[in-house]
Each structure stands twice: as C-alpha cells, then as structure tokens.
Amino acid sequence: MTDTRIEAGALRAFMERAYEKEGFAPEDARRIADVLMQADLFGIESHGAQRMMYYHQNIASGSVAMHAKPEVLRETPVSALIDGHFAMGQITAAYAMEQAIGKAKRMGVGIVAVRNSSHYGIAGYYPLMAEREGLAAFSMTNTGPIMVPTFGREMMLGTNPLAFCMPADPYPLWFDASTTVVTLGKVEVYNKRGRAMPDGWTIDGEGAVCRDAAKMNASILAGGLGGILPLGGEGETTSGHKGYGLALMVEALTGVLAQGLLAPDMCGAHGDHTSHFFLAFDPGMFGDAAHIRAHMSGYLARLRASEKMPGHSRIYTPGEKAFEAQADRLANGVPVEANTLRELREIASALGIESL
C-alpha cells in the first residue's frame, strides 16, 4: 500500500481538533499535536500520526488522566521533582522542560526528574525547546518492558531513548535514539506494512532471531518471552552490552531518580507510569556562547566535508537528515501510511470531527 501525502497544516489542524474534542484545553491540544507533528516532519513515522490510535485508546480507557496537572514535589534553585499524576506525557514533559529551561537561564543549569507520567512522544522534541533559547539539553524516558538484557530472553528494560541538542549552524547538533536496536513503533510500522523485519532486531521466546513483525508485536504486547535487542544487537560481539548499559543508565536517571515505576513493574510495553529526566544548561557558563556555537558549527562542517567511503557522496551529522526531511514535508506534505490514515479516519468518526 502506498503512502498518502497530507499537507502539514491540514494534518496539524486535524490533530488539534482531535485532542480538543477528546477534552483537552486548546493549549494542551496544540502541545500534543506539536510533538506528534515534529516526529512526522522529521521523518520519525513511528511517533507521529501513527501514535494517535494508541493515545485515543488510552484516553478512552482512562489510563491517561485527562484533567491532571503536573505538581512540583521537591525543588531547589537548580532542580525539581515533578509528579505528572498520569496526565498526557507531552503536557507533563513540556512543563518539566520549561522548568529546566527557566532554572538554566537563572542558574546556568536546570535538572528535572518526573514520575507518574505517560508516553511523551519523541525524546528529541524537548531538547529542541531548550535549543531555541540558546541552551543545550538532554531528555530521557523509561518505558514499559520491551528490551531483553544481554544474554537474556525476558523483557526487563524499555526502549529508554535519550536525546541531546546543542546550538549550531545551519542545523543544531540533534541526536535522538532508543537504546534498543529499534522502537516498538518501528515493529508496529513493519506490522502495518506487512513486511518482514531485518535480522538482528528481535528474538522470540526461545532466543531465536524473529523477523515476523506481527508475531513479535503480539508477543511484546502480551508480555511474553523474547523481545527487542539492545542497541548493538545480540550478545557482546557487536557491543549489545553497551546498548544494555545505556538503557540501564536511562532507567537510573528516570525511574530510579524520580522514584517511579521501573520497566518490569509497568503495565504494557509502552508503559502508563513512565518517568522522565531533563537537563538544560547554558554553554555560556564555559565561555563566550557565540564562540562555542561557532566552534560546534565548525566541527560539524568538518565532519560533513571529511573523506567519504566509495559509493557515498555525503556524511550526515546527527539531525541533518531530520531537518532536511522537515523542509521537504513542509513543502510537499507528510507521508501517511494507508493503515494509519484509516485509523485517523476512525478517530474522526468516533469523535464526530472533520476527517482528512
């Protein structure tokens, strides 16, 4: 099935209508839509419009507390601990990053941990909020169990993504990656498209390579044995133990630090009680901010200009492809997969709003 290109403004307007109709205040509906749109504009299909049916079901089931507001439980001039009270993750996470940004502007650094949140979309959205203020920032979240540890076959960690952004020209250094080989959303996309997954993504309950996306998607959601491999793959030969270690680091800074639920204790692969971690800092603490930005920009330019492998004409720096995808999609529309478009139309029908 082919993708349908939908004009970016029309897709954003649909998302905003949907979340207002779900019962969110207009400013909150705009924030949720903005996070989803950023994913789609950057070409991260797994976390854009594809996520709307999952959120719609969570709202209908009551696992998202519609009118909850994040609460600061503990605070210092440079830190805060926030309880999300199970509100929509994008709303809580944006509030938390705003707190980190404010502290970084006043004190040079802001560190915020969040517990009792929910799926917050792409981790990389939140460091971009700080980058627009001239700051550098990190964002991390734990999720429900999906990753098998090195030499294990029981899901014990989440996708546990980490993201970082630092100001530079013409694009910031922007990095956003799960600590699993792929996210569950990527498995879902392959399932929707009816395609076999590549080797090295997942293992089944017996510990054997699994390429069947439908089988793996169902197994993960049912909490069976097997799961997605750590970044680096199976065992230690291709450094899967490093992805496992990174995932555990994220768990320490999210679930442990925020004193929230850890991955194995969450309900479902996505997790309805996630914890987050945000850190924003002012590069100007270390010298002239403009000079540091130029230093970063110059290094990225050197990387792009360095010697290429035979058959390759470009070296990309982290974030470059995303910003190029954004320019294309703003000009030519956002590709939406056929089954995802059907889901969006189902949501429109259920909510009684104008469809795409």
Side-chain angles (χ1 to χ4, degrees), residues 252-281:
L253 291 172
T254 57
V256 174
L257 192 66
Q259 302 140 75
L261 290 184
L262 303 177
D265 304 315
M266 291 186 204
C267 178
H270 294 290
D272 296 329
H273 303 119
T274 54
S275 297
H276 316 311
F277 175 85
F278 305 95
L279 188 155
F281 67 93

Side-chain angles (χ1 to χ4, degrees), residues 145-169:
I146 190 172
M147 178 198 291
V148 293
T150 300
F151 304 132
R153 58 191 180 101
E154 180 180 358
M155 295 180 291
M156 293 296 293
L157 295 115
T159 55
N160 289 16
L162 57 90
F164 174 74
C165 193
M166 188 164 179
D169 298 302

Side-chain angles (χ1 to χ4, degrees), residues 147-303:
M147 178 198 291
V148 293
T150 300
F151 304 132
R153 58 191 180 101
E154 180 180 358
M155 295 180 291
M156 293 296 293
L157 295 115
T159 55
N160 289 16
L162 57 90
F164 174 74
C165 193
M166 188 164 179
D169 298 302
Y171 310 109
L173 169 62
W174 183 81
F175 177 78
D176 179 355
S178 66
T179 53
T180 44
V181 174
V182 291
T183 63
L184 176 58
K186 185 64 71 72
V187 176
E188 291 170 340
V189 168
Y190 269 69
N191 181 30
K192 282 184 174 180
R193 294 182 181 275
R195 294 170 56 190
M197 298 181 295
D199 288 340
W201 281 15
T202 70
I203 59 171
D204 63 21
E206 301 302 317
V209 170
C210 179
R211 300 186 64 209
D212 186 330
K215 176 183 175 182
M216 182 52 56
N217 189 60
S219 177
I220 289 172
L221 294 178
L225 290 177
I228 299 180
L229 291 163
L231 191 63
E234 187 176 1
E236 296 179 337
T237 304
T238 55
S239 297
H241 61 291
K242 296 179 183 179
Y244 169 36
L246 286 170
L248 192 53
M249 178 194 76
V250 172
E251 195 73 52
L253 291 172
T254 57
V256 174
L257 192 66
Q259 302 140 75
L261 290 184
L262 303 177
D265 304 315
M266 291 186 204
C267 178
H270 294 290
D272 296 329
H273 303 119
T274 54
S275 297
H276 316 311
F277 175 85
F278 305 95
L279 188 155
F281 67 93
D282 182 2
M285 290 191 296
F286 302 95
D288 180 75
H291 174 74
I292 292 170
R293 183 181 185 121
H295 205 33
M296 183 78 261
S297 303
Y299 184 41
L300 295 176
R302 288 176 64 189
L303 284 165

